[in-house]
Amino acid sequence: MGFKDKLKAGMAADKARADRGKELQAMFTGAEKLNPIKYQFAQQAAARVLEDDEEVLRVFAGEYDAEDANAILCVTDRRVIIGWSKKGAPGSMTMRYENIDEVHSGYNYKGAWITLQHGSHAYKVEKSMSNENKALDIEKIIRAKQEEFQAGRASATTVVQQSSSMDELAKAAELHKAGVLNDEEFAAMKAKVLGL
């Protein structure tokens, strides 16, 4: 790939990130919408880590971890992304739903807040101009995504157990066919594998 091709690819990637940033900005509601410039760098930081086919479900703007960093919390179809900017220096972190141990939201005199707990660390976006209902809505979405993951994990475990049982049954049939197991031993093994 030549220099011009690399330049074109870089410009296309920059445009795609800018478009994703505009998508995030379009999801602002209430007071966040009044001052989108305040969250511009945080929104760009979040847009930078969004995958092309990743769907953004909700955004929540506030301050990150009480560090006076403007922040955008994005809830997507796959994970939570927090993009922030402190004194013009952007940063981001992502957390898959299966890695979130706890999620809490609320509202106090400083505004709405959402806290994500992973291990011993809490990630908090607070002082949001959003109302308490938006924070609660995001908390519910995160909990629903966690339940989807748990259901998928349980389903995968069941499939593995079923295939393991079928493998055992096939091995027992081969042993029976080879004469290693007699009819009674094969019937007992088959009953055990099938849970009869």
Side-chain angles (χ1 to χ4, degrees), residues 21 31 38-40 42 45 56 78-82 90 95 110 117 135 137 142 151-152 171 178:
K38 178 177 179 179
Y39 301 106
Q40 180 179 2
V56 178
R78 299 175 196 160
R79 58 192 171 156
V80 174
I81 299 170
I82 300 176
M95 190 179 300
K110 294 180 182 178
Q117 185 81 31
D137 182 43
I142 292 171
K171 286 178 187 175

Side-chain angles (χ1 to χ4, degrees), residues 54-144:
E54 192 167 8
E55 180 185 358
V56 178
L57 306 174
R58 298 283 190 284
V59 297
F60 183 82
E63 290 184 12
Y64 180 57
D65 277 344
E67 295 181 14
D68 295 326
N70 295 324
I72 302 289
L73 182 143
C74 302
V75 178
T76 77
D77 58 338
R78 299 175 196 160
R79 58 192 171 156
V80 174
I81 299 170
I82 300 176
W84 68 85
S85 173
K86 183 174 182 176
K87 296 181 181 173
S92 64
M93 62 85 58
T94 65
M95 190 179 300
R96 298 217 171 264
Y97 294 110
E98 61 265 29
N99 296 330
I100 299 172
D101 298 325
E102 294 180 35
V103 57
H104 301 285
S105 67
Y107 193 84
N108 60 26
Y109 69 96
K110 294 180 182 178
W113 54 268
I114 296 174
T115 300
L116 306 173
Q117 185 81 31
H118 173 66
S120 63
H121 192 77
Y123 302 90
K124 188 172 190 176
V125 176
E126 60 184 350
K127 299 180 185 175
S128 174
M129 298 307 232
S130 297
N131 64 33
E132 184 177 10
N133 292 336
K134 185 171 184 180
L136 185 58
D137 182 43
I138 289 173
E139 180 181 344
K140 287 178 183 177
I141 291 170
I142 292 171
R143 289 185 191 279

